[in-house]
Amino acid sequence: MTQDKPDLTAAYALASTAETKRLYSDWAQSYDLSFAAKESYHLPWQTARAFVAAGGQGPVLDAGAGTGLCGQALFDLGVAPLEATDISPDMLAQALQKDIYRDVIEADLLSGIPVPRGSYQGVVSSGTFTHGHIGPEALPALMRVAASGAQFALSINAKFYVKAGFDQAFERLQNGGWIQELTLPEVAIYGEDADEAHRKDTAYIALFKKN
């Protein structure tokens, strides 16, 4: 069960789709200020900058977009058009208010994304692949909607990477000829103003292209 108060501890403890929807419904309106700003949540900007530095371009799918923090960073860097998908309609409602997305799509990544195959030249995700959320089992859905040559930038909590099996999943994708140019720069998730318990947390940003 999640805690009554939506926070990082509650998010890391999520154990079901129902719990996820409930927590993010409660958190949606206050997320940007009560969490992102308060904890100096840098990861969305780190992910967006890595995507652009790797040559990423639109149209881009922001997977697990939440309130649109990574999308806002991409927009500020001149990347467009952008579309967002998330399991939480309440978070997507907040993302829409930023007026940066061409469309938003409510979807569970484990069930697939209802858009045509090969719709996007780029796929980004920030904060979705972490404790209490989802692992590499969501990669096929993202691969399906990406066009050949699409640039990916997926942040993955460093403590979750091996535990969830991302190392093996990327090895299979490489060996199968599905992806190329995989790199895994490690970045800080939070700034110095973050809670001491998570101030030094890091994430890998999986950068690769779909063959």
Side-chain angles (χ1 to χ4, degrees):
M1 294 292 293
T2 62
Q3 297 178 353
D4 292 335
K5 178 184 176 182
D7 58 16
L8 190 58
T9 299
Y12 279 4
L14 291 169
S16 70
T17 298
E19 286 186 6
T20 299
K21 287 187 173 181
R22 184 166 59 250
L23 181 134
Y24 284 104
S25 175
D26 293 341
W27 211 357
Q29 292 190 8
S30 64
Y31 184 88
D32 286 6
L33 292 177
S34 70
F35 171 66
K38 181 181 178 182
E39 298 294 333
S40 300
Y41 184 43
H42 290 173
L43 189 58
W45 285 268
Q46 299 271 34
T47 304
R49 283 195 290 264
F51 177 79
V52 171
Q57 57 186 353
V60 174
L61 177 67
D62 184 359
T67 61
L69 295 175
C70 189
Q72 183 69 67
L74 288 169
F75 183 82
D76 292 345
L77 290 169
V79 178
L82 305 170
E83 295 188 358
T85 186
D86 199 275
I87 197 171
S88 169
D90 300 282
M91 296 292 270
L92 287 176
Q94 295 300 311
L96 268 177
Q97 292 183 23
K98 290 182 169 62
D99 199 25
I100 56 174
Y101 292 110
R102 178 173 67 181
D103 197 9
V104 298
I105 306 157
E106 182 185 345
D108 181 346
L109 295 182
L110 299 182
S111 300
I113 306 164
V115 299
R117 184 182 299 272
S119 293
Y120 303 103
Q121 289 295 329
V123 178
V124 302
S125 183
S126 176
T128 297
F129 298 114
T130 188
H131 307 283
H133 290 59
I134 55 177
E137 61 271 18
L139 292 175
L142 300 182
M143 292 289 290
R144 188 191 75 83
V145 301
S148 177
Q151 177 67 52
F152 281 70
L154 311 177
S155 77
I156 305 165
N157 187 291
K159 294 180 180 178
F160 189 61
Y161 185 82
V162 172
K163 178 181 178 181
F166 278 97
D167 54 339
Q168 298 176 17
F170 285 130
E171 183 177 2
R172 289 193 295 270
L173 287 172
Q174 285 183 299
N175 291 343
W178 290 98
I179 66 173
Q180 60 177 310
E181 302 179 21
L182 175 66
T183 60
L184 295 164
E186 188 172 6
V187 301
I189 297 177
Y190 305 103
E192 289 301 316
D193 293 334
D195 181 90
E196 186 175 355
H198 298 286
R199 190 175 301 156
K200 296 183 179 180
D201 287 2
T202 63
Y204 297 118
I205 299 180
L207 296 168
F208 58 91
K209 290 185 177 180
K210 179 182 175 180
N211 283 329

